[in-house]
Amino acid sequence: MEGGKPNLSLVYQAVQALYHDPDPAGKERASVWLGELQRSMYAWEISDQLLQLKQDVESCYFAAQTMKMKIQTSFFELPPETHTALRDSLLTHIQNLKDLSPIIVTQLALAIADLALQMASWKGCVHTLIEKYNSDISSMPFLIEILTVLPEEVHSRSLRIGANRRTEIIEDLAYYSSTVVTLLTSCVEKTGNDEKMLIKVFRCLGSWFNLGVLDSNFMASNQLLMVLFQVLQRDETSTNLHEAASDCVCSSLYAIENVETNVALALQLFQGVLTLETAYHMAVAREDLDKVLNYCRIFTELCETFLETTVRSPGQGMGDLRTLELLLICAGHPQYEVVEISFNFWYRLGEHLYKINDAALHSIFRPYIQRLLHCLARHCQLDPDHEGIPEDTDDFGEFRMRVSDLVKDVIFLVGSMECFSQLYSTLKEGNPPWEVTEAVLFIMAAIAKSVDPENNPTLSEVLQQVVLLPESVHMAVRYTSIELVGEMSEVVDRNPRFLDPVLNYLMKGLREKPLASAAAKAIHNICSVCRDHMAQHFQGLLDIARALDTFALSTEAAVGLLKGTALVLGRLPLEKIAECLSDLCAVQVLALKKLLSADSTNGKSADPTVWLDRLAVIFRHTNPIVENGQTHPCQKVIQEIWPVLSETLNTHQADNRIVERCCRCLRFAVRCVGKGSASLLQPLVTQMVGVYQVYPHSCFLYLGSILVDEYGMEEGCRQGLLDMLQALCMPTFQLLEQPNGLRNHPDTVDDLFRLATRFVQRSPVTLLSSSIIVHIIQCAIAATSLDHRDANCSVMKFVRDLIHTGVANDHEEDFEVRKQLIGQAMEQHGQQLITQLMHSCCFCLPPYTLPDVAEVLWEVMMFDRPTFCRWLESALKGLPKETSGGAVTVTHKQLTDFHKQVTSAEECKQVCWAIREFTRLFR
């Protein structure tokens, strides 16, 4: 905040504007100003004053939210001697404001909980709060609110309290947990059927279950459990209370995941949930979907918790198969949203049984899976009055995709062939309505690929019958039958006699707008699988490709068709490939030329991306087999196309999206012909560097990495590629050195280090002997703290590969030179690198990046263990030992143990485990 502390009336005005200003610009100004206030030191005092004055709901909510945010993110701003005063003041506020608004109470409860977790001097906070407020019934709602959010905040991402403090808190909460449950029980006794209070009690109990600190034997005989199930059995329970009770039961089931150690509570919950079947049927009869969904959640959680028991001892004790019956009852509910809740359980059951692979066990569960599949096929039926093709982007379309995935995962239990034959016979023998036929074809398409295509008369018959479907059948049936044909491309490959009738059938679909994209996808599948048989149909594919825009295709389907065509093109005789590739590209090249000439006449530039993407897919998938010494058949075509690509790139050089597509197209062209693109190297690099000076699009760095990968081993190209790297680095460093440059340009970081890594892999000595390497290493060290998945991965890979060139003695003649150069680099940057890495993984990076960090540390240690030991010790000494709340972050013993674990590691994964454990102390 510029200009000191703002006065309160100004803050009021801003809050009023934020909520009530009719002008959006006024709201925005207020929001920015209040955001700045929240970040400043004055926020503490101002929020405290606003809460004291209690002028209106908005200002109190803003103040309570600010308090919570400051405690979460800026607690270090307060000197330790103020912590007790802050606590007392927050408790006074929550008591004074308890009737103003529940959302204010929640924000203040969060502030108090977050303070308690960070304030090491506040011992036994649960005990002090209960002592202070439990005798006053009017304080009960906010006391329970604090006790609800406290366990939830223990694992909060925004509080970095560290593993030592977290363990201490969890032990503390476990110690007082029965006191909390006793408080909740007496609260229910006192307030009886007060619904709001019951909801609060259930939420609080669920929160303690979720933290996993309740004593399960104490809970097994507790009154609250009975109350929970009574509420869920009663027909007249309101929707809100029903949801709170269901959430709490689900939390309790989740908490006893390890059934053996919680037998008493497990048995109570198991029997309690089985009593809810009647209540479920009642909810179905009353058409109360909310309650039905809640019961299904509970039944699913029950099955998830007892999954291992059920598989280990099906039908015995708590492996009782009535649990699966409950899920199948839910699967019979007409609304598909109900069965969808249980999908994850069926996946896991399938996974377990697949791993165990015991025929006798499979036969016990097979009937349940058969019944499930039967229900799923019914749920996939479209409405009888549905018109046109099935929608795949709405909720129901997404549900059908999930069914398709689930069926693929559990079909092994029933047997793909048996299921496929059964489904087919329902179509063959009956004359079902169209919506049944379509759903059956849909399930058949899901499993077609898992049926063995060898000498399979049923598959052949299905294929023969499907391609004979008349055009008069419902559009959705034709659509799904086309999808089925596409999934049966293996059958066509084994029975080439079907190729003509299948292609004719798909061509009919291609000509009809609603079916065109599905037919294109099926043709693409057949091209991919039946490449050799399709070579004789190449002319037909070429005709389709030439007339691509006369069909009503989605962008994706059009690109797919070209991909299929390119795959077949690669199987033609070598001497035909050049001419056919030229034909295939001609349409796109002509379109690009047309756009360029139109641009020059009317000064407006039309979007060339469609054509660039089509060329890219052709280059990417045309992979002929070329013997050594033969000229690549695609070389000539790519040389002819280069001028058009070059001009397109120049015309659109300011537009990142189009430049990206140009680079992608060029990347696949270079990859397609490999060393055969040598004549493009000079003009391409010159143009890339030229445009990059003005418009630093990161895709040029990526394209540069492809060129280094293809040509970096060629002695004659190395200096030119190094010049390219240096020319690209200058604008890149300028961009990344701006304030927040690394964070604002993660793509540039990613692509820069891909390029540098390629250099390390292809020509390490060239890079290590250059003057640019110092700057690249400095940039890498700064970027290790960047929390961006791809960028961080690229940086770590670069550093790892760089050091590895000095470790890996591959008996190349330049090994000694490399070792010496890496030694110099480490001498200069080693300590800084290790210090920065330790700081990054303790304070900046998410856990998934740690294996990459471990690999870097491992390589440095492999290069020079004694020096690494000193560097690591120095880095560890620089880490903070205490939190701002006065809790111990890391003990001396934990530091020395970690140092020893890392420096004595025999393999990299031991370093990784050590870092994982160690960084938890700072999270």
Side-chain angles (χ1 to χ4, degrees):
M1 294 247 96
E2 305 293 314
K5 187 175 104 181
N7 66 25
L8 279 184
S9 61
L10 207 58
V11 179
Y12 273 121
Q13 276 172 14
V15 171
Q16 285 305 312
L18 181 66
Y19 288 102
H20 304 296
D21 193 329
D23 172 24
K27 269 190 184 351
E28 182 55 31
R29 277 197 303 277
S31 171
V32 170
W33 189 82
L34 289 168
E36 260 182 54
L37 169 64
Q38 283 182 317
R39 284 188 293 279
S40 74
M41 273 294 287
Y42 306 117
W44 296 101
E45 191 187 337
I46 282 178
S47 351
D48 191 50
Q49 289 173 335
L50 290 174
L51 290 166
Q52 250 169 346
L53 293 167
K54 196 174 159 183
Q55 192 158 336
D56 53 30
V57 173
E58 287 97 344
S59 63
C60 286
Y61 177 69
F62 169 75
Q65 191 199 24
T66 303
M67 249 330 166
K68 176 202 73 177
M69 202 178 89
K70 292 298 280 184
I71 290 172
Q72 274 182 356
T73 58
S74 312
F75 189 56
F76 60 88
E77 291 177 354
L78 295 181
E81 60 274 13
T82 60
H83 294 174
T84 308
L86 174 64
R87 176 193 68 191
D88 297 345
S89 133
L90 285 172
L91 290 172
T92 308
H93 292 320
I94 200 166
Q95 193 158 19
N96 292 340
L97 298 165
K98 61 177 184 268
D99 302 321
L100 187 59
S101 154
I103 56 171
I104 293 172
V105 171
T106 300
Q107 292 297 316
L108 287 171
L110 282 164
I112 292 163
D114 290 340
L115 176 66
L117 295 176
Q118 294 180 89
M119 183 174 159
S121 58
W122 185 1
K123 304 276 183 228
C125 64
V126 171
H127 183 67
T128 50
L129 289 167
I130 291 177
E131 285 278 281
K132 186 167 176 154
Y133 298 114
N134 77 340
S135 51
D136 170 21
I137 198 78
S138 72
S139 300
M140 223 27 121
F142 77 75
L143 172 61
I144 292 179
E145 187 67 32
I146 298 172
L147 293 174
T148 303
V149 297
L150 186 63
E152 290 170 352
E153 289 295 288
V154 170
H155 292 290
S156 159
R157 289 264 170 87
S158 37
L159 296 179
R160 299 187 77 102
I161 54 177
N164 288 334
R165 173 70 179 152
R166 199 169 279 116
T167 307
E168 184 190 339
I169 289 162
I170 290 172
E171 284 168 5
D172 199 42
L173 294 182
Y175 181 75
Y176 290 112
S177 61
S178 45
T179 318
V180 173
V181 175
T182 309
L183 170 81
L184 296 177
T185 313
S186 77
C187 187
V188 171
E189 283 163 4
K190 281 181 198 160
T191 55
N193 291 335
D194 176 358
E195 184 181 305
K196 276 190 176 160
M197 194 48 111
L198 263 182
I199 290 176
K200 281 186 178 303
V201 166
F202 290 160
R203 269 194 57 221
C204 186
L205 182 61
S207 174
W208 285 74
F209 266 127
N210 286 337
L211 189 62
V213 291
L214 294 180
D215 179 319
S216 70
N217 290 331
F218 175 72
M219 283 314 300
S221 54
N222 190 272
Q223 188 63 34
L224 278 181
L225 221 51
M226 304 237 312
V227 177
L228 259 180
F229 285 111
Q230 281 164 2
V231 164
L232 289 168
Q233 284 157 354
R234 274 209 309 269
D235 182 33
E236 58 276 12
T237 298
S238 76
T239 305
N240 288 347
L241 181 57
H242 198 275
E243 184 171 7
S246 302
D247 287 345
C248 187
V249 171
C250 287
S251 296
S252 66
L253 284 163
Y254 184 73
I256 56 155
E257 199 80 82
N258 192 346
V259 177
E260 284 73 38
T261 53
N262 301 295
V263 176
L265 179 57
L267 194 60
Q268 288 295 327
L269 291 171
F270 186 84
Q271 290 166 342
V273 175
L274 287 180
T275 63
L276 299 178
E277 188 183 335
T278 323
Y280 168 82
H281 289 300
M282 196 65 185
V284 174
R286 294 203 183 281
E287 296 187 358
D288 188 337
L289 187 60
D290 287 334
K291 285 188 180 175
V292 167
L293 291 167
N294 285 336
Y295 289 123
C296 188
R297 279 195 301 136
I298 294 172
F299 298 155
T300 302
E301 203 62 66
L302 176 78
C303 288
E304 295 251 18
T305 293
F306 292 99
L307 172 62
E308 304 209 0
T309 317
T310 313
V311 172
R312 206 174 37 245
S313 49
Q316 296 161 30
M318 288 190 270
D320 192 329
L321 294 169
R322 276 187 301 167
T323 54
L324 297 190
E325 288 290 346
L326 288 176
L327 281 199
L328 288 172
I329 291 170
C330 292
H333 190 280
Q335 300 278 38
Y336 70 84
E337 293 89 347
V338 181
V339 69
E340 194 168 17
I341 290 173
S342 65
F343 276 16
N344 191 52
F345 165 74
W346 295 112
Y347 275 124
R348 284 186 58 208
L349 176 65
E351 202 175 29
H352 263 67
L353 293 171
Y354 188 76
K355 278 181 190 155
I356 295 171
N357 194 13
D358 170 345
L361 196 58
H362 286 191
S363 64
I364 294 174
F365 290 95
R366 181 170 298 124
Y368 293 94
I369 299 294
Q370 279 169 327
R371 286 162 60 194
L372 174 70
L373 291 174
H374 187 76
C375 290
L376 292 176
R378 207 180 57 250
H379 279 298
C380 284
Q381 289 174 18
L382 298 160
D383 281 336
D385 55 1
H386 177 93
E387 289 181 7
I389 63 169
E391 282 292 327
D392 54 358
T393 49
D394 60 1
D395 288 348
F396 184 54
E398 281 178 16
F399 166 74
R400 292 195 356 149
M401 290 322 295
R402 290 192 64 198
V403 168
S404 175
D405 291 342
L406 178 57
V407 169
K408 288 182 174 84
D409 278 6
V410 298
I411 194 66
F412 72 92
L413 280 163
V414 181
S416 316
M417 189 56 227
E418 296 86 303
C419 185
F420 197 81
S421 304
Q422 252 177 347
L423 288 165
Y424 178 51
S425 62
T426 59
L427 298 183
K428 197 162 118 181
E429 286 153 22
N431 184 15
W434 76 264
E435 68 277 11
V436 176
T437 303
E438 191 278 335
V440 169
L441 290 170
F442 178 77
I443 302 288
M444 285 169 77
I447 57 179
K449 273 195 177 135
S450 56
V451 181
D452 182 8
E454 275 306 329
N455 305 326
N456 194 322
T458 309
L459 286 178
S460 307
E461 189 183 331
V462 168
L463 201 49
Q464 270 171 311
Q465 291 304 315
V466 167
V467 298
L468 293 173
L469 275 174
E471 292 182 24
S472 56
V473 298
H474 192 290
M475 187 64 83
V477 174
R478 291 179 65 200
Y479 180 89
T480 304
S481 71
I482 287 173
E483 290 197 320
L484 173 59
V485 171
E487 291 297 306
M488 293 176 76
S489 42
E490 295 279 352
V491 185
V492 180
D493 195 41
R494 308 287 158 93
N495 304 280
R497 65 179 191 282
F498 290 142
L499 192 55
D500 284 354
V502 162
L503 288 175
N504 288 336
Y505 182 66
L506 295 176
M507 278 308 297
K508 272 188 215 159
L510 196 60
R511 292 192 187 96
E512 287 188 50
K513 188 177 178 182
L515 304 174
S517 290
K521 191 178 167 194
I523 293 173
H524 164 210
N525 278 355
I526 286 176
C527 288
S528 305
V529 175
C530 319
R531 288 191 207 183
D532 294 323
H533 298 307
M534 283 298 292
Q536 62 193 18
H537 290 278
F538 184 75
Q539 194 51 50
L541 290 170
L542 195 54
D543 293 341
I544 295 174
R546 283 192 181 128
L548 209 48
D549 292 307
T550 61
F551 304 108
L553 296 175
S554 68
T555 314
E556 189 190 354
V559 166
L561 252 179
L562 288 174
K563 175 183 169 182
T565 309
L567 289 169
V568 176
L569 170 62
R571 292 297 165 93
L572 297 182
L574 271 192
E575 65 278 2
K576 287 200 167 166
I577 290 180
E579 184 194 343
C580 293
L581 177 64
S582 192
D583 281 349
L584 190 54
C585 296
V587 180
Q588 344 300 329
V589 174
L590 209 65
L592 287 172
K593 281 183 176 164
K594 214 163 148 187
L595 290 183
L596 289 168
S597 63
D599 292 351
S600 55
T601 50
N602 64 15
K604 273 204 189 112
S605 31
D607 187 348
T609 50
V610 172
W611 312 106
L612 292 168
D613 287 351
R614 288 182 185 180
L615 278 176
V617 82
I618 294 169
F619 294 144
R620 184 178 192 172
H621 297 286
T622 304
N623 299 317
I625 297 151
V626 184
E627 302 294 327
N628 264 349
Q630 286 180 308
T631 305
H632 198 292
C634 307
Q635 189 175 322
K636 181 167 157 286
V637 183
I638 285 171
Q639 281 168 350
E640 286 165 6
I641 292 176
W642 158 248
V644 182
L645 293 176
S646 171
E647 201 181 331
T648 304
L649 179 55
N650 254 344
T651 305
H652 298 277
Q653 55 181 289
D655 186 327
N656 183 53
R657 189 177 63 94
I658 296 176
V659 171
E660 240 176 35
R661 299 306 232 292
C662 276
C663 286
R664 190 168 168 273
C665 189
L666 286 161
R667 160 190 159 196
F668 290 124
V670 170
R671 287 287 195 215
C672 173
V673 292
K675 306 278 183 294
S677 57
S679 62
L680 300 186
L681 199 53
Q682 191 63 50
L684 175 55
V685 167
T686 308
Q687 186 171 2
M688 279 165 55
V689 168
V691 176
Y692 193 78
Q693 305 296 326
V694 192
Y695 300 106
H697 303 297
S698 75
C699 51
F700 286 126
L701 300 170
Y702 187 89
L703 187 53
S705 74
I706 303 291
L707 296 175
V708 172
D709 194 36
E710 290 290 345
Y711 293 100
M713 309 283 275
E714 305 284 309
E715 197 52 60
C717 300
R718 285 176 168 171
Q719 188 53 48
L721 290 169
L722 182 65
D723 294 343
M724 171 192 80
L725 173 68
Q726 290 180 314
L728 292 172
C729 274
M730 289 314 156
T732 306
F733 292 150
Q734 279 171 1
L735 188 69
L736 299 180
E737 279 161 9
Q738 292 169 0
N740 285 330
L742 292 165
R743 186 173 306 150
N744 294 343
H745 304 283
D747 295 353
T748 302
V749 176
D750 183 11
D751 292 331
L752 171 69
F753 287 102
R754 271 174 201 261
L755 169 56
T757 303
R758 287 290 190 208
F759 239 112
V760 169
Q761 291 164 348
R762 292 286 173 255
S763 182
V765 175
T766 312
L767 181 63
L768 284 163
S769 332
S770 70
S771 55
I772 194 81
I773 186 66
V774 176
H775 305 286
I776 294 177
I777 293 174
Q778 285 289 355
C779 184
I781 292 173
T784 53
S785 61
L786 186 61
D787 173 8
H788 181 282
R789 191 182 286 261
D790 295 340
N792 195 282
C793 184
S794 278
V795 173
M796 295 299 176
K797 184 167 172 38
F798 163 72
V799 181
R800 181 203 158 278
D801 285 8
L802 183 76
I803 299 161
H804 189 70
T805 54
V807 173
N809 189 354
D810 43 19
H811 305 294
E812 296 275 337
E813 64 272 15
D814 65 353
F815 176 64
E816 286 307 321
V817 181
R818 290 192 328 238
K819 194 172 169 185
Q820 189 190 347
L821 288 166
I822 293 292
Q824 290 166 4
M826 292 314 294
E827 209 173 304
Q828 208 175 345
H829 308 285
Q831 179 67 72
Q832 190 194 354
L833 171 68
I834 301 302
T835 304
Q836 180 69 44
L837 277 175
M838 286 316 301
H839 183 271
S840 295
C841 55
C842 291
F843 300 108
C844 312
L845 299 179
Y848 67 75
T849 58
L850 297 180
D852 296 345
V853 176
E855 287 197 358
V856 175
L857 296 179
W858 174 255
E859 290 298 337
V860 178
M861 188 158 74
M862 288 300 91
F863 185 75
D864 182 349
R865 203 179 279 255
T867 312
F868 171 75
C869 293
R870 288 203 310 278
W871 287 341
L872 182 61
E873 185 182 344
S874 162
L876 294 176
K877 280 181 177 160
L879 292 172
K881 312 294 183 283
E882 269 197 7
T883 64
S884 41
V888 173
T889 306
V890 55
T891 64
H892 181 68
K893 183 177 185 311
Q894 284 169 326
L895 285 170
T896 51
D897 284 354
F898 171 66
H899 187 274
K900 189 175 171 194
Q901 283 166 347
V902 173
T903 53
S904 62
E906 304 276 310
E907 47 185 347
C908 184
K909 62 179 175 200
Q910 294 168 312
V911 177
C912 188
W913 291 330
I915 294 187
R916 273 233 157 88
E917 283 309 304
F918 184 70
T919 53
R920 284 198 181 119
L921 300 170
F922 297 87
R923 285 186 201 289

